[in-house]
Amino acid sequence: MEHTIPAEDPHDPATWPTGRSVMLEPLVRRVLAPNASPYTFTGTQTYIVGNGPDVAVIDPGPADTGVAGHADTNGAGHVEAILAAVGSARIAAIVCTHTHRDHSPASRPLRAMTGAPIIGCAPLVLDDSGPRADAAFDPEYAPDRVLLDGERITGSGWTIEAVATPGHTSNHLCLALSESGALFTGDHVMGWSTSVVSPPDGDMAAYMTSLQKLYDREDRVYYPAHGPQINNPRQLVRGMIGHRRQRERQIVTLLEGGARSIPDFVAAMYKGLDERLQGAAGRSVLAHLVDLEQKGRVARNAQTWTILN
């Protein structure tokens, strides 16, 4: 059954049913994967673009059953739900914004079942040195074609253009739907939470540059991989840029009072934070510190950081 008006309360994750095809606009439908967690909100949202004989599937999501409550697992039945939503249409492209395991693994069973090519972000396999708070990378992701910034794929009545947005991950893409002014933002911009930027692959300087790139565009609406659609995109992005700059100022101010460790920053900057999210906060603090270090403003000594000027 297809629903033309989302019934979900954007502030209540419990009201978001999984596996249901929801029409968001004439060319865009959404199917929610069953992997809700503190890092994915209601779960990963797969988008189906097109209403004619062929469609594109954006961010097919996690595969297999996994463990409920983990961001990179619990995709039971999601591929089947995507196929039910697609119906008799041909899948012309399976498109991935990036290769965290809550986004790309289902591309492989979907390709095996339909013959559709995997097109989108570049592959990335990284042995991350730190305790990851967001989903780990998908080492088996193997695209048939990598989309570079500005490249397009087309179908019956739809055109998708790649917008390179490194920062959350180095291979992150947003995807612009030319016919409607919509932008699929993956994990780069979300309405329910700020994105985790986790070194060494996550890069705060690149993330800020990519935010500015989106602010300079004129997209009508954002469809993120997690959380509700964003109807005031430039206003939100402006606020996100200001928020990240404020976090950087907080870090500098704290360092002016003496050397600090990552847990010290998190305790001072994120009062009342859900303990399950403290790892994510620490990774983003680290990303700011690495950026400041590269600018010659701070230095590290083992597990502590000090200000230089």
Side-chain angles (χ1 to χ4, degrees), residues 96-112:
C96 298
T97 61
H98 65 296
T99 51
H100 276 156
R101 288 200 311 229
D102 59 326
H103 288 258
S104 59
S107 63
R108 292 183 288 282
L110 194 58
R111 176 172 59 184

Side-chain angles (χ1 to χ4, degrees), residues 112-137:
M113 297 172 75
T114 65
I118 300 172
I119 301 174
C121 67
L124 176 67
V125 179
L126 183 70
D127 182 14
D128 197 329
S129 61
R132 293 199 62 83
D134 55 338
F137 292 96

Side-chain angles (χ1 to χ4, degrees), residues 1-8 20-30 223 229:
M1 180 178 180
E2 185 139 286
H3 299 254
T4 57
I5 301 176
E8 300 87 355
R20 189 178 77 179
S21 176
V22 176
M23 182 73 75
L24 302 179
E25 59 176 86
L27 285 175
V28 180
R29 286 167 283 167
R30 183 196 70 209
Y223 294 123
Q229 71 184 55

Side-chain angles (χ1 to χ4, degrees), residues 75-242:
H78 188 53
V79 169
E80 291 75 13
I82 293 170
L83 291 173
V86 168
S88 61
R90 177 180 68 90
I91 299 178
I94 303 166
V95 193
C96 298
T97 61
H98 65 296
T99 51
H100 276 156
R101 288 200 311 229
D102 59 326
H103 288 258
S104 59
S107 63
R108 292 183 288 282
L110 194 58
R111 176 172 59 184
M113 297 172 75
T114 65
I118 300 172
I119 301 174
C121 67
L124 176 67
V125 179
L126 183 70
D127 182 14
D128 197 329
S129 61
R132 293 199 62 83
D134 55 338
F137 292 96
D138 173 12
E140 298 178 25
Y141 171 76
D144 298 288
R145 175 187 166 193
V146 172
L147 280 180
L148 301 179
D149 188 40
E151 288 191 330
R152 296 182 173 187
I153 53 176
T154 60
S156 179
W158 53 267
T159 307
I160 293 173
E161 179 177 338
V163 181
T165 49
H168 174 65
T169 61
S170 61
N171 63 348
H172 195 285
L173 295 176
C174 291
L175 301 159
L177 179 58
S178 301
E179 287 76 10
S180 79
L183 186 73
F184 301 92
T185 57
D187 283 0
H188 186 67
V189 174
M190 300 178 288
W192 78 283
S193 173
T194 56
S195 180
V196 175
V197 180
S198 180
D201 186 64
D203 185 296
M204 188 60 69
Y207 183 75
M208 294 295 287
T209 298
S210 294
L211 281 180
Q212 186 62 49
K213 181 177 185 177
L214 293 196
Y215 182 74
D216 292 339
R217 294 173 55 87
E218 296 184 357
D219 301 292
R220 175 183 59 85
V221 62
Y222 287 174
Y223 294 123
H226 309 282
Q229 71 184 55
I230 298 160
N231 297 314
N232 55 343
R234 294 188 80 240
Q235 178 182 339
L236 178 67
V237 172
R238 183 173 63 246
M240 291 175 69
I241 291 171

Side-chain angles (χ1 to χ4, degrees), residues 249-307:
R249 288 194 295 269
Q250 280 184 287
I251 289 169
V252 171
T253 299
L254 288 168
L255 285 177
E256 287 173 345
R260 300 260 181 169
S261 67
I262 298 291
D264 293 336
F265 287 111
V266 172
M269 295 167 59
Y270 297 88
K271 296 185 184 301
L273 180 69
D274 184 332
E275 64 179 13
R276 295 173 297 176
L277 301 177
Q278 289 181 356
R283 300 303 286 175
S284 285
V285 167
L286 176 60
H288 277 293
L289 287 165
V290 170
D291 184 29
L292 289 166
E293 182 183 41
Q294 291 172 346
K295 294 173 181 175
R297 299 186 62 190
V298 304
R300 69 176 102 188
N301 180 13
Q303 300 302 311
T304 62
W305 295 79
T306 57
I307 196 163

Side-chain angles (χ1 to χ4, degrees), residues 58-78:
I58 294 176
D59 277 345
D64 302 319
T65 55
V67 180
H70 287 251
D72 59 344
T73 58
N74 201 26
H78 188 53

